[in-house]
């Protein structure tokens, strides 16, 4: 295993103008990504080309400096490979030599050897760009799960790219402009967004599993990876064993680090599995959780959140004998972090769900540089309530966002286009279903469950991965997500729903796979989502912020949103869900607080 690079990349390739290496905007683009890579920075310039890099050193800090060069190729790379050693061995047998132990060198030489097909060999999370000096073309690539971001825009005969939107917005050719489509995405799908859509005008994001070339003829992209349905030949017992092997292997491959490493621990199934495997492999583990003062007092059990986490965290902490840190977030800090969360995401996000993650990452970074986290398990193993409720499952539309008519009340009628909000959302939904690969002859349940898995991977999970990447990297903390290993996802897609629904329980297969490894109390605990604050003073705090916005005679939010609808939101006693199980009235209010801050911060213009 080589070194991991949690970094930021940016740059441009222009055929219609000179790129001045001394240009202040290039420094600004690089500086915009400094939280992602506080340890080192580098740049490469050629005719019309600039490659910029920021690095967070985790392994082999002396090796792997970027941009890296080899035989007329230059690369900037962000991410980590889980199969570095296998690919290195292949290349050694083909006569390649290696100067260090970096993933970057393996990726660069694999590209030299295999060309664009190299990405199909990689198992990992990554975004990278390779510039070919002789042909003057740029190769761009993003990992299959979309864990690492890569935004880009075309301006004339040039392409400008970056790990985050803020890097692009530092370029003088890119203005903070949005369109009516942007408003539709932000209001009717937010905090999710259409795959590949960068919200800002003419800004796009490479899709997960996409790669391509930019040259004088323009940009040509292709999908090098997608989920393919295949026959399942494994019995349930074989599937449980293979699941345990795949998950354990994915976790172990991600425990390599020369800097302090820990895990997030909620007392739920996913984080407990990761923490247990890590503890066994390393001989001990440090764990971290988030909580809120008096949350037990105000907690309200419900269908989606049946119990709170603290008891189960204690069970796991004693089971592992882990050194546990409980990060307690009070309401003032959580409220204030709403703005830092927008700074990190460059967009309105998941309100306090983002803010609490950012504060958790910031506190964790004081002790650790690398953390393992449980994202993707619910999407792959069928953990969410909407997988299990036949009524919700049968609804034609995104199961986590069924309130489009309610959302539409907030946008001023002037900004409604010929396409109704319902039509806009439904088109995104049907476009996704049209791309689902299904074997012929599936019964209605199997067909629907595979559709659900793809919907969740391409939409809901992307929102969570955006959150995890931006909040952690803003804190210079590297967070690894073992359940996003493409081998796990590919295998689970082929399994029948009855396996995942074992014992009639959410993630039944995963529970069975780790029977005897986790305490039974944890193994069969009913799923509970990420902990949010239940304190009434949080609702009061965000409500006060929105009231101030409404009283501001120059509020950019009120140029777009309906004042009456926002005022009604402040007095609404209904718990109308905004997005999934975590965002209801307090988070909806906070979302509009973030929206107003975002409009001001970037001086957004609607065009």
């Amino acid at each position: 295993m080589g070194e991991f690079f949690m970094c930021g990349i940016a740059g441009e390739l222009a055929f219609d103008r000179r790129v001045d290496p001394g240009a202040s905007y290039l420094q600004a683009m690089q500086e915009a990504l400094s939280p992602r890579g506080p340890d080192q920075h580098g740049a490469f310039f050629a005719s019309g080309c600039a490659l910029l890099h920021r690095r967070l050193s985790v392994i082999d800090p002396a090796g792997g400096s970027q941009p890296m060069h080899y035989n007329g190729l230059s690369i900037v790379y962000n991410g980590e490979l889980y199969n570095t050693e296998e690919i290195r061995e292949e290349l050694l047998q083909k006569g390649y030599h290696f100067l260090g132990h970096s993933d970057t060198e393996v990726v660069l030489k694999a590209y030299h050897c295999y060309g664009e097909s190299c990405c199909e060999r990689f198992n990992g999370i990554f975004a990278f760009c390779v510039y070919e000096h002789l042909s003057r073309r740029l190769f761009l690539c993003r990992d299959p799960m979309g864990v690492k971001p890569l935004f880009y825009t075309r301006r004339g005969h040039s392409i400008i790219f970056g790990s985050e939107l803020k890097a692009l917005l530092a370029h003088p050719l890119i203005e903070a402009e949005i369109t009516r489509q942007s408003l539709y995405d932000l209001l009717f799908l937010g905090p999710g967004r259409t795959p590949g859509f960068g919200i800002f005008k003419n800004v796009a994001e490479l899709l997960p599993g996409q790669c391509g070339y930019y040259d004088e003829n323009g940009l040509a992209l292709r999908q090098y990876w997608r989920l393919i349905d295949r026959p399942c030949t494994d019995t349930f017992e074989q599937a449980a064993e293979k699941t345990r092997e795949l998950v354990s292997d994915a976790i172990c491959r991600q425990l390599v680090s020369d800097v302090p490493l820990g895990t997030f621990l909620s007392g739920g199934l996913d984080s407990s599995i990761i923490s247990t495997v890590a503890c066994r492999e390393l001989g001990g583990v440090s764990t971290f959780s988030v909580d809120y003062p008096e949350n037990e007092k105000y907690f309200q059990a419900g269908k989606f959140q049946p119990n709170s986490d603290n008891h189960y965290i204690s069970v796991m902490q004693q089971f592992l004998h882990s050194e546990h840190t409980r990060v307690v977030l009070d309401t003032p800090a959580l409220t204030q972090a709403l703005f830092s969360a927008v700074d990190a995401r460059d967009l309105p996000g998941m309100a306090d769900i983002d803010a609490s993650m950012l504060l958790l990452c910031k506190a964790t970074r004081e002790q650790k540089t690398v953390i393992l986290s449980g994202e993707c398990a619910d999407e792959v193993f069928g953990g969410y309530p909407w997988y299990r409720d036949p009524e919700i499952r049968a609804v034609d539309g995104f199961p986590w966002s069924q309130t489009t008519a309610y959302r539409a009340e907030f946008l001023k009628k002037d900004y409604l286009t010929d396409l109704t909000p319902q039509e806009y959302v439904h088109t995104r939904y049907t476009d996704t279903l049209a791309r689902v690969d299904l074997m012929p002859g599936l019964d209605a349940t199997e067909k629907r469950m595979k559709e659900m898995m793809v919907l969740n991977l391409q939409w809901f999970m992307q929102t969570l991965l955006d959150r995890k990447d931006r909040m952690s990297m803003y804190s210079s903390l590297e967070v690894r997500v073992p359940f996003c290993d493409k081998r796990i996802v590919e295998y689970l897609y082929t399994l029948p729903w009855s396996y995942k629904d074992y014992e009639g329980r959410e993630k039944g297969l995963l529970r069975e796979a780790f029977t005897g490894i986790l305490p039974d109390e944890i193994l069969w605990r009913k799923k509970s989502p990420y902990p949010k604050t239940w304190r009434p003073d949080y609702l009061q705090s965000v409500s006060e912020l929105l009231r101030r916005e409404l009283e501001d005679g120059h509020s950019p939010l009120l140029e777009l949103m309906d004042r009456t609808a926002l005022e009604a939101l402040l007095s609404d006693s209904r718990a109308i869900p905004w997005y999934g199980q975590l965002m209801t009235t307090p988070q909806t209010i906070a979302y509009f607080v973030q929206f107003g801050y975002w409009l001001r911060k970037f001086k957004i213009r609607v065009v």
Side-chain angles (χ1 to χ4, degrees):
M1 179 78 79
E3 102 291 21
F4 294 108
F5 274 132
M6 290 296 100
C7 307
I9 64 174
E12 64 181 316
L13 176 58
F15 292 102
D16 55 355
R17 57 191 165 78
R18 181 175 171 270
V19 175
D20 178 6
S24 60
Y25 74 84
L26 291 173
Q27 185 177 347
M29 289 176 71
Q30 191 172 48
E31 191 60 30
L33 297 172
S34 58
R36 297 185 77 91
D39 297 330
Q40 295 176 348
H41 60 88
F44 164 78
F45 302 100
S47 176
C49 178
L51 300 180
L52 310 171
H53 190 261
R54 298 284 320 203
R55 179 186 182 192
L56 171 64
S57 299
V58 175
I59 292 180
D60 186 20
S65 294
Q66 294 191 50
M68 186 178 283
H69 316 286
Y70 178 72
N71 274 16
L73 303 174
S74 297
I75 187 174
V76 280
Y77 166 76
N78 166 30
E80 54 192 62
L81 292 189
Y82 310 147
N83 62 340
T84 303
E85 293 310 315
E86 292 93 324
I87 295 173
R88 189 198 309 275
E89 190 55 41
E90 280 180 27
L91 294 171
L92 284 168
Q93 290 179 10
K94 290 179 177 289
Y96 284 84
H97 299 283
F98 291 88
L99 302 175
H101 298 283
S102 72
D103 285 11
T104 313
E105 189 178 5
V106 171
V107 171
L108 180 58
K109 290 178 178 175
Y111 179 80
H112 182 269
C113 180
Y114 301 116
E116 64 175 297
S117 67
C118 69
C119 48
E120 292 154 31
R121 297 170 179 266
F122 297 152
N123 177 21
I125 57 174
F126 48 80
F128 66 89
C129 296
V130 178
Y131 177 63
E132 299 181 354
H133 299 200
L134 197 59
S135 61
R136 291 194 67 203
R137 66 175 182 171
L138 189 71
F139 178 71
L140 305 95
C141 184
R142 190 176 180 212
D143 69 79
M145 293 294 105
V147 179
K148 291 288 118 187
L150 186 56
F151 293 95
Y152 67 91
T153 186
R154 305 271 304 282
R155 290 293 191 272
H157 293 288
S158 70
I159 190 169
I160 303 157
F161 65 89
S163 294
E164 295 181 10
L165 290 165
K166 60 174 65 72
L168 270 65
L169 290 167
H171 197 290
L173 291 180
I174 303 169
E175 297 185 32
E177 297 176 335
I178 61 173
T179 63
R180 294 194 180 199
Q181 183 192 342
S182 310
L183 287 175
Y184 268 40
D185 247 55
L186 291 164
L187 257 293
F188 309 141
L189 296 168
R193 57 188 166 86
T194 300
F197 184 46
I199 300 296
F200 291 94
K201 183 183 176 186
N202 294 328
V203 172
E205 185 175 23
L206 218 62
L207 290 169
Q210 197 173 52
C211 69
Y213 286 101
Y214 180 76
D215 59 19
E216 284 185 283
N217 298 315
L219 181 65
L221 298 174
R222 74 176 180 90
Q223 200 68 29
Y224 72 84
W225 183 91
R226 61 192 291 254
L227 273 179
I228 303 295
D229 198 12
R230 294 184 174 88
C232 172
T233 56
D234 288 350
T235 65
F236 175 76
E237 290 72 21
Q238 290 170 328
E241 183 179 351
K242 188 165 184 178
T243 295
R244 183 173 61 254
E245 290 171 356
L246 282 171
V247 170
S248 299
D249 184 63
I251 296 166
C252 290
R253 283 174 181 261
Q254 296 184 47
L255 293 173
V256 179
S257 174
D258 285 345
V259 294
L261 177 147
T263 66
F264 285 149
L265 178 65
S266 69
L269 180 67
D270 314 327
S271 66
S272 296
I273 288 172
I274 291 172
S275 299
T276 301
V277 174
C279 187
R280 287 184 168 195
E281 185 75 8
L282 300 175
V285 69
S286 297
T287 53
F288 297 80
S289 66
V290 66
D291 199 8
Y292 311 90
E294 299 185 287
N295 222 36
E296 296 284 338
K297 175 181 174 182
Y298 296 110
F299 177 78
Q300 299 168 24
K303 180 178 180 181
F304 290 156
Q305 199 145 12
N307 44 46
S308 61
D309 289 336
N310 285 337
H311 167 70
Y312 299 96
I313 291 171
S314 296
V315 171
M316 280 305 298
Q317 192 267 325
Q318 292 169 30
F319 174 69
L320 299 171
H321 302 291
S322 69
E323 181 184 320
H324 186 72
T325 301
R326 183 168 158 258
V327 179
V328 182
L329 308 177
D330 63 19
T331 292
L334 194 60
T335 306
Q336 190 58 38
L338 287 171
F339 306 111
S340 302
V342 175
D343 296 340
R345 198 190 268 261
D346 301 325
L347 294 169
M350 297 185 78
D352 55 275
I353 314 305
D354 276 7
S356 60
M357 176 58 68
L358 187 145
L359 293 173
L360 172 62
C361 289
K362 183 180 177 184
T364 303
R365 182 63 174 88
E366 293 175 6
Q367 298 182 47
K368 305 294 177 186
T369 310
V370 179
I371 286 288
L372 271 63
S373 183
E375 274 75 10
C376 195
D378 286 310
E379 286 82 358
V380 173
F381 288 94
Y384 291 123
W386 47 79
Y387 274 104
R388 313 196 47 73
D389 187 323
E391 287 186 25
I392 300 177
R393 207 162 66 197
V395 171
D396 190 32
F398 296 114
W400 53 84
S401 184
Q402 292 287 318
T403 54
T404 305
Y406 169 66
R407 286 165 169 258
E409 294 173 7
F410 293 97
L411 186 63
K412 279 188 174 179
K413 302 299 179 281
D414 300 353
Y415 292 101
L416 292 172
T417 65
D418 294 338
L419 197 64
T420 69
Q422 288 82 357
E423 288 169 335
Y424 183 82
V425 173
H426 196 256
T427 299
R428 298 297 185 271
Y429 169 75
T430 53
D431 283 352
T432 307
L433 290 191
R435 295 191 297 272
V436 176
D437 187 75
L438 297 166
M439 286 194 310
L442 292 177
D443 65 33
T445 299
E446 290 298 332
K447 178 175 181 290
R448 184 56 177 163
M449 298 320 294
K450 288 180 190 288
E451 289 177 344
M452 289 286 283
M453 184 170 167
V454 172
L455 286 167
N456 277 271
L457 287 171
Q458 294 189 6
W459 286 87
F460 198 78
M461 189 181 79
Q462 293 305 314
T463 308
L464 298 182
L465 290 177
D466 276 3
R467 164 184 176 246
K468 181 56 60 69
D469 177 79
R470 306 308 188 277
M471 300 309 125
S472 62
M473 295 312 298
Y474 191 76
S475 309
S476 300
L477 178 73
E478 177 193 320
V479 176
R480 302 173 182 173
V481 281
F483 285 106
C484 283
D485 189 305
K486 72 174 183 179
R487 298 170 302 163
I488 298 172
V489 178
E490 288 170 344
Y491 181 61
L492 266 292
Y493 188 61
T494 67
L495 298 183
W497 172 245
S498 60
Y499 286 14
K500 301 178 191 181
D501 194 37
Y502 177 67
E503 296 284 356
R505 293 296 304 273
E506 75 276 358
K507 295 187 282 195
L509 172 65
L510 186 60
R511 296 177 193 275
E512 178 62 20
F514 283 86
T515 295
I517 297 173
L518 297 185
D520 283 351
E521 188 176 2
I522 301 295
L523 196 69
W524 296 102
R525 176 193 177 189
K526 188 168 175 57
K527 175 184 164 48
S528 192
Y530 177 85
K532 67 178 181 179
T533 183
W534 292 91
R535 290 177 58 90
D537 64 348
Y538 179 73
L539 175 59
Q540 295 161 11
S541 183
V542 294
S543 296
E544 178 57 31
L545 288 174
L546 188 55
R547 282 193 192 95
R548 281 188 223 160
E549 192 79 45
L550 292 172
E551 292 164 3
D552 183 348
H554 303 286
S555 166
L557 186 67
L558 292 177
E559 293 176 18
L560 304 176
M561 304 302 158
D562 183 271
R563 175 187 287 274
T564 305
L566 291 174
E567 288 172 343
L569 174 63
L570 288 171
S571 59
D572 201 336
S573 59
R574 301 169 297 168
I576 298 176
W578 183 264
Y579 192 80
Q581 51 209 338
L582 289 173
M583 293 182 72
T584 54
T585 302
Q587 289 74 33
T588 305
I589 292 170
Y591 184 73
F592 283 109
V593 169
Q594 287 191 318
F595 208 126
Y597 173 73
W598 176 70
L599 291 169
R600 276 193 179 85
K601 174 184 168 72
F602 289 107
K603 300 180 175 62
I604 304 289
R605 290 196 313 125
V606 182
V607 294

